[in-house]
């Protein structure tokens, strides 16, 4: 399929040549100036009073051969997570219907694999078609893909593929050794070439520096085409993995600054406050929405860790006058 890999760069307001110093200059602006600029960019491209609600399901949990140092599902570490088999399609469709009834418009299905085996991919393709049949947007995250596998997902009607760069090129090797950053960039190219939209972001709060966080944004913004969705995860603490709570949770103002910088650098991407909202106050979430975040995961759990309760989210969005499937 012929797809324009530079589609987002054809939008006049999207640049793909960000320098780290420029990202840092934005990030270090006086706070009011940074938020004003981010909010102005946000209003050019999005309804500032709307937040997308997505829902997550772990199709296959744990026992993963990769050694991502933050993850409860890696077989390399002794965590509380038990490995499961791939779920049945009927159970997946029931979970998607439940998420739709709860207000989600996008359903994201994840599997703890290095990459899918062909037999497993058949099953996931059937799940994608079934979830699309409910009228939801579909996203899957299954690890690394070959071009053929990406084309099969596209044929099944998949809307988005999530595959994160996770952190800066410099910090990457401290967190993951079994798959390189280039492996990830190759998979992202296969996804693009297959005509699937890209969901790609990373994690903060793993002991990286502010420079690493900004380098991650530069990497994302300078991809051949900017991702349509950019999840920003705060590391959700899990016991037994190399990343530890001593890494320290990022300063809330630093989180808002990073979201605002992401919004300015990737003006037409949906920026998702992903994992880690359980640690955020209502005020910090409000600040992040003001800074340009416009998507959240809803539901009591993410994959293996906690997420804010639906009532708390509905209450917060209601108080802020933000529309979503929730309110
Ligand atoms: N196994 C697939 C892969 O990594 O390609 C997909 C699932 S994986 C859980 C998706 C992403 O979730 C990771 O790339 C990472 O950015 C994020 N993630 C995993 N564990 C996390 C945690 N404890 N806190 C925050 N984000 C996490
Ligand atoms: C992403 O960037 N965040 C989601 C989704 N992509 C698949 C996953 C968050 C996982 C948080 C840790 C857990 O619940 O195990
Ligand atoms: Fe496996 Fe994905 Fe966890 Fe890495 S992040 S260990 S690939 S499930």
């Amino acid at each position: 399929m012929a797809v324009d890999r530079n589609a987002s760069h054809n939008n006049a307001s999207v640049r793909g040549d960000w320098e780290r110093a420029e990202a840092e200059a934005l990030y270090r602006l006086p706070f009011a100036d940074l938020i004003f600029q981010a909010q102005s960019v946000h209003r050019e491209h999005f309804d500032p009073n709307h937040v997308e609600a997505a829902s997550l399901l772990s199709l296959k949990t744990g026992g993963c051969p990769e050694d991502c140092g933050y993850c409860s599902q890696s077989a390399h570490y002794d965590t509380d997570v038990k490995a499961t088999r791939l779920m049945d399609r009927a159970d997946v469709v029931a979970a998607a219907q439940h998420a739709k009834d709860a207000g989600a418009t996008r359903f994201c299905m994840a599997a703890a694999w290095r990459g899918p085996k062909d037999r497993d991919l058949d099953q996931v393709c059937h799940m994608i078609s079934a979830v699309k049949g409910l009228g939801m947007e579909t996203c899957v995250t299954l690890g690394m893909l070959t071009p053929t596998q990406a084309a099969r997902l596209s044929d099944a009607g998949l809307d988005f593929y999530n595959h994160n760069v996770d952190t800066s090129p410099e910090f990457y090797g401290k967190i993951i050794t079994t798959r390189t950053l280039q492996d990830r960039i190759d998979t992202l190219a296969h996804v693009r070439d297959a005509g699937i939209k890209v969901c790609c972001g990373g994690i903060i709060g793993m002991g990286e520096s502010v420079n690493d966080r900004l380098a991650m944004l530069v990497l994302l913004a300078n991809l051949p085409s900017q991702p349509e969705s950019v999840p920003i995860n705060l590391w959700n603490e899990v016991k037994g993995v190399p990343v530890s709570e001593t890494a320290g949770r990022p300063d809330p103002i630093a989180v808002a600054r990073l979201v605002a910088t992401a919004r300015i650098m990737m003006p037409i991407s949906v920026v998702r406050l992903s994992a880690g909202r359980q640690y955020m106050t209502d005020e910090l979430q409000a600040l992040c929405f003001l800074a340009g975040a416009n998507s959240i995961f809803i539901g009591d759990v993410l994959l293996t860790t906690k997420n804010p309760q639906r009532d708390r989210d509905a209450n917060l969005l209601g108080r802020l006058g933000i529309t979503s499937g929730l309110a």
Side-chain angles (χ1 to χ4, degrees):
M1 194 189 307
V3 173
D4 180 0
R5 288 187 53 197
N6 290 312
S8 68
H9 286 179
N10 291 341
N11 184 307
S13 55
V14 179
R15 289 176 45 194
D17 59 352
W18 286 91
E19 303 276 350
R20 288 191 186 187
E22 289 176 286
E24 185 171 359
L26 281 174
Y27 180 87
R28 299 205 185 281
L29 279 172
F31 194 68
D33 295 343
L34 173 61
I35 298 295
F36 179 71
Q37 197 171 322
Q39 177 65 199
S40 306
V41 169
H42 193 50
R43 280 169 183 266
E44 267 176 51
H45 301 287
F46 294 100
D47 172 355
N49 301 312
H50 180 76
V51 161
E52 170 194 78
S55 183
L56 259 181
L57 178 70
S58 184
L59 298 178
K60 193 267 167 220
T61 308
C64 183
E66 303 290 340
D67 70 351
C68 311
Y70 49 77
C71 185
S72 61
Q73 303 196 66
S74 169
H76 293 255
Y77 315 122
D78 187 12
T79 71
D80 293 338
V81 170
K82 300 255 175 312
T84 65
R85 295 160 58 99
L86 184 61
M87 284 177 71
D88 286 334
R89 192 193 328 172
D91 295 335
V92 173
V93 174
Q97 182 66 56
H98 183 73
K100 185 181 177 189
D101 294 344
T105 55
R106 186 181 303 181
F107 196 62
C108 178
M109 297 166 268
W113 292 323
R114 177 168 168 80
K117 297 196 173 66
D118 284 343
R119 199 187 51 228
D120 293 329
L121 196 66
D122 284 340
Q123 299 298 318
V124 174
C125 285
H126 288 308
M127 292 171 189
I128 291 165
S129 307
V131 172
K132 273 191 83 79
L134 300 178
M136 300 182 85
E137 280 186 325
T138 52
C139 178
V140 298
T141 176
L142 314 171
M144 294 189 285
L145 295 181
T146 64
T148 313
Q149 290 176 325
R152 287 186 55 202
L153 288 167
S154 177
D155 290 345
L158 181 67
D159 297 301
F160 291 84
Y161 194 82
N162 167 243
H163 199 58
N164 290 343
V165 296
D166 275 352
T167 188
S168 70
E170 290 78 9
F171 198 66
Y172 186 96
K174 295 195 170 66
I175 301 292
I176 304 135
T177 70
T178 52
R179 122 193 333 172
T180 65
L181 183 55
Q182 189 59 47
D183 289 334
R184 290 179 189 246
I185 290 170
D186 291 347
T187 287
L188 292 170
H190 302 330
V191 169
R192 273 273 170 241
D193 287 344
I196 300 167
K197 286 178 269 198
V198 169
C199 172
C200 182
I203 314 182
I204 62 173
M206 302 190 293
E208 74 290 333
S209 64
V210 167
N211 276 345
D212 286 312
R213 294 173 195 162
L214 292 170
M216 176 177 88
L217 293 190
V218 169
L219 175 63
L220 293 168
N222 291 349
L223 285 171
S225 226
Q226 291 188 351
E228 281 80 1
S229 285
V230 178
I232 297 187
N233 298 279
L234 251 68
W235 181 58
N236 249 358
E237 188 185 319
V238 288
K239 301 272 182 244
V241 299
V243 169
S244 83
E245 66 222 77
T246 56
R249 222 155 270 149
D251 161 33
I253 301 299
V255 174
R257 281 187 177 277
L258 196 74
V259 169
T261 308
R263 164 51 63 228
I264 296 165
M265 293 172 68
M266 293 175 277
I268 62 172
S269 304
V270 169
V271 176
R272 181 175 308 117
L273 279 189
S274 282
R277 278 196 309 116
Q278 58 159 329
Y279 305 124
M280 294 186 188
T281 60
D282 288 356
E283 293 86 337
L284 175 56
Q285 292 185 60
L287 211 45
C288 289
F289 296 138
L290 203 56
N294 55 352
S295 178
I296 55 171
F297 281 124
I298 59 167
D300 299 349
V301 285
L302 293 167
L303 297 176
T304 67
T305 60
K306 284 191 193 143
N307 198 43
Q309 304 277 315
R310 184 181 189 281
D311 288 354
R312 181 183 161 196
D313 282 340
N315 176 283
L316 173 61
L317 296 178
R319 279 150 66 215
L320 297 174
I322 290 177
T323 60
S324 73
L326 270 179

